[in-house]
Each structure stands twice: as C-alpha cells, then as structure tokens.
Amino acid sequence: MAAWARAVRGLLLDVSGVLYDSGGDGGVPIAGSVEAVRRIKASGLKLRFCTNETQATREKFVKKLQGMGFDISVDEVTAPAPAACRILKERSLRPHLLVHNDLVPEFAEIDKANPNCVVIGDAAENFTYANLNEAFRVLIGMEKPVLISLGRGRYYKETDGLKLDVGAYMKALEYACDVQAEVVGKPAKMFFESALAEMGVPPQQAIMIGDDIVNDVGGAQRCGMRALQVRTGKYRSVEALRPALRGGNRGKRGSNCR
C-alpha cells in the first residue's frame, strides 16, 4: 500500500451517480454501494457525504437514501442550500428563488421580500422561459447584480438518461446580465473546506470520490486533496481524457476506479 493511502483519515463521497442513479421512483442503488458505505464506516475512516443535490431538503434526501438501505444521517451531509442560507444571513441578502419546489423549505427562515439577489438551483421543471426571464429581470434591475448558484454542474444522470444541470441555466443568466455567479456547491473551494472542517481532517489526509471529473475530482484537487473518479453515474470515457483542472496544476489528474 502506498504511503499516501496509509495516511488517509477521511473520505468525501459524492452521492448521485456514485451511490445511486436517480429518477424513476426515487432512485436505484448502484450495485455494491450500500455494502461499500457499511464497510467504510466499519473501517473507522471519517466519512462525509458531499452532494450538490438541490431538488430536496437534506432531511428528505437522507430519508430517500435510508429507504434504499444506506446508513446515513442528516448531520453527515454537506449540501449547498444550508451554505447558501448562511451567506444570505451574513450579508443581509434577500433572494429571489429559482429552485425546485421541494427545496424551498430550506429557505423558510430567510427574508425574501423585495429581493436584492437571485439564488438558482436545479429547478428541473421550474426552468421555464417565464421563470428564467423573471430571474433575469430581477438581476438586470440591480445596480450590482448578485447571482448565487447552488452548483455549476453541466448535467447529471437519471434512470431515463442524462439531464441538464443548473450550470447551463446559471451560464445563461451570467451572459444575459454580465455577472459572475457565486457558486456555493461543488466545485467551489469553500464547499470542500466546509466538509473537511466538519470531519476535522486536513486535505492531505482526505480523498474525494465522485463521478464528475470537473466538480468532484477537479474541485477536490484544487483544495489539496486526492480524488478518484468512479465509472458510474455520468462517467463517460471521453471525459477521462480531459484535465480535471483548467488553468491549474495540469500534472494532477483524477484516478479512475474500476
């Protein structure tokens, strides 16, 4: 065993595409994933479930995973919505929400009157022209537009195929309003730093495991971690040829787990 592997104290584990494929009646566990989580916990390694899930509250998300047989609790999950709420409170921001209906309860304690920013997540069917245009009008009417995105993923996999993710719609608003979005989900450095702090493990002693070469692998590497890309979920062999980092340390690439 390599010296770096012996020094590992914690794992950051992506969920959708790594533990299960979403869609259908809520999702289907990937073969061996329930047992893998059980073995990780039995090993004594610290574990953090890191997700860009923005179609449900953490409570509902965890309940779904528990129903699939996973040993997981809410306090083991790092997700974008709670991080966004902290930012909104700290900066006295009042959001116009363009998010999935099931995520709205996460923002129950946030003042949303007279919005002075826009928060965008994976709104799924709520990504209509009318809703996107309403978010555009809120932003374009501000002297200094503030756009907060709960991720910047390009696409994700459900049981019926690949689906456009929040990043595509975030880019549309960025372009239309000439604004740079503040990303609070993966691959933002703040997201990974928060997960590491919650585990009490330094980046040099942690590994990120995910199916996204940019958001999971690249984001973790920029934070000083090692990362592994699994060949499930959104993984496609063509992506393995791309550098995980753009404009950074091009000598480090995500490993591919067989």
Side-chain angles (χ1 to χ4, degrees):
M1 181 182 293
W4 66 264
R6 289 194 297 269
V8 171
R9 293 175 48 213
L11 294 179
L12 284 71
L13 194 60
D14 184 28
V15 182
S16 178
V18 175
L19 299 184
Y20 77 99
D21 283 326
S22 57
D25 293 327
V28 179
I30 292 171
S33 59
V34 172
E35 174 65 12
V37 170
R38 188 194 67 78
R39 292 177 63 183
I40 290 170
K41 290 195 169 186
S43 73
L45 287 171
K46 294 187 177 181
L47 178 61
R48 198 78 193 161
F49 297 91
C50 295
T51 178
N52 269 1
E53 170 64 46
T54 56
Q55 289 193 9
T57 62
R58 280 188 301 171
E59 288 76 11
K60 187 174 180 179
F61 178 63
V62 165
K63 186 176 181 179
K64 178 176 74 171
L65 289 169
Q66 289 173 340
M68 295 182 199
F70 290 103
D71 179 8
I72 181 174
S73 62
V74 172
D75 60 7
E76 293 176 306
V77 176
T78 299
C85 287
R86 287 194 295 270
I87 292 172
L88 295 170
K89 290 178 179 179
E90 289 169 1
R91 293 164 55 181
S92 298
L93 292 172
R94 303 178 303 278
H96 169 83
L97 298 177
L98 179 50
V99 300
H100 196 280
N101 290 339
D102 290 344
L103 191 71
V104 172
E106 289 274 18
F107 298 88
E109 297 181 4
I110 302 295
D111 182 6
K112 294 177 281 291
N114 190 24
N116 57 2
C117 73
V118 168
V119 172
I120 183 173
D122 180 13
E125 286 76 14
N126 282 346
F127 277 136
T128 64
Y129 175 80
N131 288 343
L132 279 166
N133 200 52
E134 185 178 4
F136 159 74
R137 287 175 172 174
V138 172
L139 285 170
I140 206 69
M142 299 176 189
E143 183 177 351
K144 295 182 178 180
V146 176
L147 174 61
I148 296 174
S149 183
L150 305 182
R152 68 176 191 194
R154 294 170 295 165
Y155 57 87
Y156 56 94
K157 184 181 179 182
E158 291 194 345
T159 50
D160 61 345
L162 299 176
K163 302 289 183 71
L164 278 176
D165 204 348
V166 61
Y169 304 96
M170 178 197 81
K171 286 294 184 181
L173 291 174
E174 283 186 329
Y175 177 71
C177 302
D178 192 23
V179 61
Q180 182 74 42
E182 301 176 35
V183 180
V184 298
K186 294 178 291 183
K189 187 177 181 181
M190 178 185 68
F191 181 94
F192 291 101
E193 288 176 339
S194 176
L196 289 168
E198 288 160 351
M199 289 196 302
V201 174
Q204 299 82 4
Q205 295 180 348
I207 296 178
M208 175 70 202
I209 300 174
D211 65 330
D212 191 310
I213 194 69
V214 176
N215 291 330
D216 296 331
V217 174
Q221 287 180 340
R222 281 191 292 272
C223 201
M225 286 184 281
R226 293 180 180 270
L228 301 173
Q229 184 187 21
V230 297
R231 295 186 176 186
T232 54
K234 69 172 65 173
Y235 171 84
R236 294 187 301 164
S237 59
V238 66
E239 289 198 332
L241 303 177
R242 299 178 182 176
L245 305 180
R246 299 184 182 277
N249 181 359
R250 294 182 180 270
K252 294 177 69 176
R253 300 226 182 170
S255 302
N256 293 319
C257 279
R258 288 184 169 83

